[in-house]
Amino acid sequence: MSEEAESPAIVVGGEAAQALTVAERLPTRAFVFPLRKSVPFPNLMMPVLVDDEAGRTVVQQAEAADGHLLLLTQRDPETEKPGAGSFYEVGVIGRILKTFKLPDGNASVMVQGRARARVTKFLREQHPLLARVVEMPDVPTPGPRVEAVFRKLQQALEQVAEATESLGNDFRTAVLNIEEPAQLADFCGAYLLKKTEQRQELLSIAEVGPRVERALQFVLAELEIAELGNRIQAEIRQKVEKAQKDWFLREQIKLIRKELGEEVDAREAELQRLETAIEAAGMPEVAGARAREELQKLRTTPAESPEYSVLRNYLDWLTALPWSRSSVDTQDLRRAAAILDEDHYGLDEVKQRILEFLAVRKLKPAQSGSILCFAGPPGVGKTSLGRSIARAMGREFWRFSLGGMRDEAEIKGHRRTYIGAMPGRILQGLKTSGTNNPVLMLDEIDKLGADFRGDPSSALLEVLDPEQNHAFLDHYLDVPFDLSRVLFLATANALPQIPEPLRDRMEVIELPGYLAQEKVEIALRHVLPKQLDRHGLTKKHLSLGQPALRQVVHLWTREAGVRGLEKAIVRMCRKAAAAVAARRKPPGRVTLDRLEDLLGPPRFPADQERKLDVPGVVQGLAWTPHGGDVLYIEAARIEGGQGLTLTGSLGEVMAESVRIALHYLRGHAAEYGIDPERFDKAGFHVHFPAGAIPKDGPSAGITIATALCSLLTGRPAPQDLAMTGELTLVGEVLPIGGVREKLLAARRYRLKRVILPEHNRRDVGELRKDLLAGLRLVYVERFADVVREAFAARRRSAPARRRRGRGAAS
């Protein structure tokens, strides 16, 4: 299709009319010449490029008729063969003045726009298109408003010409010589506006007043864009000029320093700094040789090379590590004991073991003995013990958590071939602490993971092995680093989750939990003062005595540690702070009857106990990662049923314990006064409450057998009795683990008697006497001893509290 030229020409004033015969009438029908992007206007002379056969046909037909064309703009400029519906309705009737032949074989036609015209009908819808048109003369708008808008439009156009360098003086001259508002509006559309839709909108308005006002709106928008562009250009020019000025001044300073002999090249200064740092780091010979070798590579590497930053970062790490910087150990054991007593109440066995460990270090400082692992429930003070040890020894302390770590590179670093490579967490801790003998705590070591990126627990084997860690090799440094002077401490909640090779390298110190009185003392000495200070309170705002704290321990918390107790104290502090901030009366001295107002209803009320004194329900003792717990076991006989049903999220080992207990009782029914027919005429259902919590382990064997025996003989089990022990198929009671935690749970639940395997007597002998206060321990070797203790005499004392849901491993 034909293509119009991009640069039309305007005939200003009455010159266009003088070029034509005034009395010449416009045609009522004309051939359509399509325009793809341009919009024609009256009094506009535009050269139209004719570059295809269809365009030449339209021009020939128009010249053969009366020499007039209808210039119409296409709605879609991409349309190759536009039809009758492809054009805007309003166009311009133009007269062909002259046709020029071009060297490439095409033609250029000079067309003079005469008047607006609206298409009323297409007389021919095939090329060449022929349309019936109606002239759209300018409609004058009365009143002075048109003249005011016309002058404002002239001013705006002059401002646009000043803001836009590309328009030039010819544009301003043309604006000043146009005297008619209608022609000025058309001039704006032809020369200034860029969007086809805006130009076509101006062309379609016949009334002069609205056309001039709309043109003014478009021009003001263009003026705003031009001024914004000038501001942006000025800002950019200012920045460029400042950068050039700074560069010029720096070059002058360089020349001045060069003349004075004071010039120091930045690259040379960096190399000199690294060389000095290497000499001052006190590296071993191997590391020093590697550092000098890498420094020599850095000297010959261009600063623009990516390898330059890799080498410089490597040397920065080498020189930042504390190869020879050590802190002086404090060897005063009395001071260490005082610090441990100041930071922690109770835990006498743990403190004694720590002091023994420090004593060995005092006698043989170079001794690289075992690594300590504090194992126990959450909230018993494992991490704070590590800080106290560091303070007692006068060493730096650094802790990082291993929980959820799955990438071996977190321990041993990334190789330098990777982008963003850096050393592992061990060397990062040494750099942070600034000494080569800090106390490094590996927190949550039982929560390590493993995936396709490696096994961090295997990487820790080298770190924690005294025979290997004197030459620890980090993947990033790739030179040995001596970790033998570092004191490694680890914490864990569940020892069985630690891989055996890793556990074998550590000496485990168990922190079983606190007694109720110990929790009260910890709250008075540590927790309450700390929280009062954090909340901006004093003792006159909130204070708690031993009776109130003991009540909080028994009725609102049930845990091995003190985190739940601390949360309860924090809740009371918040209420006191809110009262003080609102200028209300604070709680002050908290009495027993005000605890529910501050903490809400008790979570473990004193009257919450199992009221049903029925056969088939027995209390067992269980070990959990959060401490010991009481586990109820219920057994029921289903008349007419068959087989054995187990509920309560049991593991395979616990399910086997149930089957062993049932088979043992069936084989020894006469010995325990059980009718053998009761096994054949019914099924059995054994349930472990808190069914959403997984349970597993063999130590519930005698408890399950006692529940079934109670069910089959119709004798209820005492409510002040709990038991734990593994049962074999021949009736032997085997030892179990977690004795300390289970006895503490019995104390918390206020039980009176506990049945334990005979082989666990030595474990009980290692416990403090106050841990066993109020408990009568019964040691058994066979299940017959369990039955004799449970059913020989019904001792009724304070019934056991009902257990709240916790994860249990019996």
Side-chain angles (χ1 to χ4, degrees):
M1 181 52 64
S2 305
E3 183 68 41
E4 68 278 10
E6 295 182 356
S7 301
I10 284 284
V11 179
V12 179
E15 297 177 4
Q18 296 174 5
L20 301 172
T21 303
V22 177
E24 187 176 2
R25 299 181 59 186
L26 294 176
T28 57
R29 62 179 186 175
F31 289 98
V32 177
F33 191 92
L35 302 177
R36 291 180 179 174
K37 297 180 181 179
S38 295
V39 177
F41 283 90
N43 299 326
L44 175 70
M45 293 184 61
M46 12 182 348
V48 177
L49 178 65
V50 182
D51 59 355
D52 60 2
E53 187 61 34
R56 284 190 285 271
T57 302
V58 171
V59 172
Q60 291 173 2
Q61 294 284 349
E63 288 179 334
D66 55 2
H68 286 84
L69 287 172
L70 176 60
L71 302 177
L72 288 180
T73 303
Q74 297 177 201
R75 295 181 183 272
D76 183 6
E78 303 299 326
T79 304
E80 292 294 334
K81 294 183 178 181
S86 303
F87 301 94
Y88 290 101
E89 295 179 357
V90 177
V92 170
I93 292 289
R95 180 178 179 82
I96 300 175
L97 298 181
K98 193 170 183 179
T99 301
F100 302 94
K101 292 183 179 181
L102 301 178
D104 58 0
N106 298 324
S108 178
V109 180
M110 184 63 67
V111 180
Q112 168 68 51
R114 295 195 59 193
R116 286 174 170 79
R118 182 184 300 276
V119 177
T120 59
K121 183 179 180 181
F122 279 91
L123 303 177
R124 181 188 300 167
E125 297 188 0
Q126 295 180 353
H127 292 283
L129 298 174
L130 182 65
R132 178 174 293 146
V133 295
V134 175
E135 182 183 356
M136 294 176 59
D138 293 339
V139 179
T141 301
R145 179 179 176 84
V146 176
E147 182 64 24
V149 176
F150 169 70
R151 295 180 181 180
K152 184 64 178 177
L153 180 58
Q154 281 185 322
Q155 295 175 3
L157 287 172
E158 290 182 6
Q159 293 174 353
V160 170
E162 292 177 359
T164 308
E165 297 179 358
S166 60
L167 293 179
N169 293 328
D170 294 341
F171 181 87
R172 300 181 65 180
T173 302
V175 169
L176 295 175
N177 285 278
I178 296 177
E179 300 178 353
E180 296 296 328
Q183 289 187 8
L184 187 61
D186 292 345
F187 179 85
C188 294
Y191 269 86
L192 192 61
L193 302 185
K194 302 293 188 297
K195 296 182 179 180
T196 302
E197 294 78 8
Q198 295 178 351
R199 302 166 79 178
Q200 185 66 39
E201 181 180 352
L202 284 182
L203 180 65
S204 302
I205 300 175
E207 190 174 354
V208 175
R211 189 196 309 169
V212 177
E213 291 185 9
R214 191 59 175 152
L216 178 60
Q217 294 175 8
F218 290 145
V219 171
L220 292 177
E222 291 291 333
L223 177 61
E224 184 176 356
I225 293 174
E227 291 177 346
L228 179 60
N230 288 339
R231 287 198 298 270
I232 294 174
Q233 185 177 0
E235 292 175 2
I236 295 175
R237 184 184 298 111
Q238 184 178 4
K239 291 180 181 179
V240 172
E241 290 176 353
K242 184 179 183 304
Q244 291 177 344
K245 179 181 178 182
D246 292 346
W247 178 85
F248 181 73
L249 291 176
R250 289 194 188 96
E251 292 299 318
Q252 283 186 326
I253 292 173
K254 285 184 180 180
L255 291 174
I256 293 172
R257 287 182 175 177
K258 186 176 181 180
E259 291 295 329
L260 295 175
E262 299 177 355
E263 181 184 10
V264 179
D265 184 69
R267 176 185 171 90
E268 288 298 325
E270 179 72 9
L271 294 173
Q272 184 63 37
R273 180 189 68 83
L274 290 172
E275 186 174 3
T276 304
I278 291 173
E279 296 300 326
M283 302 180 189
E285 184 59 34
V286 175
R290 172 63 64 85
R292 288 187 288 272
E293 178 184 347
E294 297 296 325
L295 181 62
Q296 187 59 34
K297 289 182 182 178
L298 188 67
R299 293 183 187 278
T300 58
T301 302
E304 297 79 12
S305 172
E307 185 68 17
Y308 184 85
S309 61
V310 174
L311 290 170
R312 189 183 63 184
N313 290 339
Y314 178 76
L315 289 171
D316 283 339
W317 270 104
L318 269 182
T319 55
L321 288 175
W323 298 92
S324 56
R325 293 192 299 273
S326 304
S327 58
V328 180
D329 285 351
T330 301
Q331 298 180 349
D332 189 349
L333 295 183
R334 291 184 179 179
R335 178 177 177 273
I339 290 175
L340 292 175
D341 290 335
E342 178 186 343
D343 294 345
H344 298 83
Y345 179 82
L347 302 177
D348 294 335
E349 299 174 8
V350 176
K351 293 176 183 177
Q352 183 61 35
R353 178 64 190 89
I354 293 173
L355 290 176
E356 293 171 359
F357 180 83
L358 297 179
V360 175
R361 291 270 179 167
K362 177 180 179 180
L363 297 177
K364 191 174 179 61
Q367 196 261 356
S368 55
S370 59
I371 287 89
L372 297 183
C373 176
F374 299 132
V380 296
K382 299 185 295 296
T383 304
S384 59
L385 267 176
R387 291 193 179 92
S388 298
I389 292 174
R391 190 158 72 94
M393 297 181 69
R395 293 191 179 191
E396 297 292 330
F397 178 79
W398 193 75
R399 167 198 165 274
F400 73 98
S401 176
L402 299 174
M405 185 179 292
R406 296 177 178 273
D407 191 354
E408 177 187 345
E410 291 283 347
I411 304 296
K412 302 199 67 173
H414 301 82
R415 301 191 184 277
R416 282 197 290 160
T417 53
Y418 297 102
I419 296 176
M422 60 190 308
R425 301 292 296 276
I426 301 296
L427 294 188
Q428 290 180 36
L430 291 173
K431 178 185 176 184
T432 302
S433 62
T435 62
N436 61 5
N437 62 339
V439 176
L440 292 189
M441 172 157 280
L442 312 177
D443 216 0
E444 310 291 352
I445 198 171
D446 57 326
K447 313 267 188 324
L448 280 171
D451 60 9
F452 65 93
R453 291 170 289 185
D455 184 3
S457 62
S458 299
L460 280 176
L461 296 178
E462 181 185 357
V463 175
L464 301 182
D465 190 347
E467 301 299 325
Q468 302 181 49
N469 62 11
H470 66 278
F472 172 69
L473 192 65
D474 185 274
H475 289 159
Y476 180 81
L477 289 187
D478 202 26
V479 292
F481 193 95
D482 186 6
L483 299 179
S484 61
R485 304 190 64 187
V486 178
L487 175 57
F488 288 101
L489 303 177
T491 68
N493 297 130
L495 284 175
Q497 297 180 12
I498 304 176
E500 181 63 31
L502 188 58
R503 191 164 68 245
D504 183 61
R505 283 166 167 77
M506 300 183 295
E507 181 173 350
V508 177
I509 298 179
E510 296 188 7
L511 286 72
Y514 298 106
L515 298 175
Q517 185 58 35
E518 290 177 331
K519 293 181 182 179
V520 171
E521 290 294 334
I522 291 172
L524 286 174
R525 298 185 184 194
H526 301 287
V527 179
L528 184 57
K530 180 179 70 174
Q531 294 304 328
L532 288 176
D533 180 65
R534 286 186 177 180
H535 289 80
L537 302 173
T538 62
K539 290 184 179 180
K540 70 176 183 180
H541 297 136
L542 178 70
S543 63
L544 294 164
Q546 287 199 9
L549 285 171
R550 193 175 296 110
Q551 194 83 333
V552 173
V553 169
H554 287 308
L555 302 185
W556 277 272
T557 67
R558 187 163 290 175
E559 57 179 350
V562 293
R563 283 186 182 166
L565 177 60
E566 184 172 13
K567 291 177 182 177
I569 292 175
V570 167
R571 186 174 182 182
M572 290 187 281
C573 289
R574 287 200 304 266
K575 290 185 179 295
V580 173
R583 298 185 177 180
R584 301 193 306 268
K585 183 179 179 181
R589 185 74 173 181
V590 178
T591 57
L592 296 179
D593 56 347
R594 294 202 60 193
L595 285 176
E596 289 198 29
D597 297 335
L598 296 173
L599 296 176
R603 296 182 57 205
F604 308 97
D607 59 349
Q608 184 177 347
E609 57 190 37
R610 298 195 66 121
K611 298 293 186 182
L612 294 178
D613 190 11
V614 297
V617 179
V618 180
Q619 297 172 123
L621 294 174
W623 177 92
T624 76
H626 306 285
D629 209 346
V630 171
L631 179 68
Y632 286 95
I633 297 177
E634 303 171 347
R637 185 171 176 271
I638 313 300
E639 291 289 346
Q642 292 183 349
L644 177 64
T645 302
L646 303 176
T647 53
S649 299
L650 306 185
E652 184 63 30
V653 176
M654 186 169 279
E656 291 175 356
S657 298
V658 178
R659 289 191 287 270
I660 289 173
L662 185 61
H663 293 162
Y664 170 76
L665 290 177
R666 185 166 189 167
H668 299 79
E671 181 181 344
Y672 299 110
I674 302 173
D675 184 1
E677 294 184 357
R678 292 176 64 83
F679 291 96
D680 300 326
K681 297 179 179 180
F684 292 90
H685 186 169
V686 179
H687 175 63
F688 295 75
I693 302 172
K695 310 170 189 68
D696 203 2
S699 65
I702 64 172
T703 314
I704 298 168
T706 304
L708 291 170
C709 185
S710 170
L711 172 70
L712 294 170
T713 59
R715 295 178 292 179
Q719 295 187 18
D720 67 338
L721 173 69
M723 60 189 70
T724 178
E726 181 179 355
L727 178 66
T728 69
L729 203 54
V730 295
E732 290 184 336
V733 180
L734 301 182
I736 45 83
V739 173
R740 188 193 307 245
E741 290 82 359
K742 293 178 180 180
L743 291 179
L744 286 175
R747 284 283 306 272
R748 286 200 303 272
Y749 283 81
R750 302 182 183 181
L751 301 178
K752 300 300 182 184
R753 292 180 294 158
V754 175
I755 296 177
L756 292 172
E758 175 65 33
H759 293 288
N760 287 115
R761 185 188 293 268
R762 62 179 181 274
D763 298 325
V764 177
E766 298 177 357
L767 303 180
R768 300 199 322 262
K769 299 301 181 183
D770 57 336
L771 295 180
L772 309 177
L775 289 177
R776 188 170 74 86
L777 305 182
V778 180
Y779 300 99
V780 298
E781 292 183 340
R782 301 189 60 81
F783 182 69
D785 302 330
V786 179
V787 174
R788 188 179 306 111
E789 176 66 24
F791 301 115
R794 293 290 307 278
R795 297 177 176 84
R796 296 189 178 274
S797 59
R801 302 282 181 83
R802 186 174 184 179
R803 184 180 73 88
R804 285 293 177 104
R806 280 189 190 167
S810 65

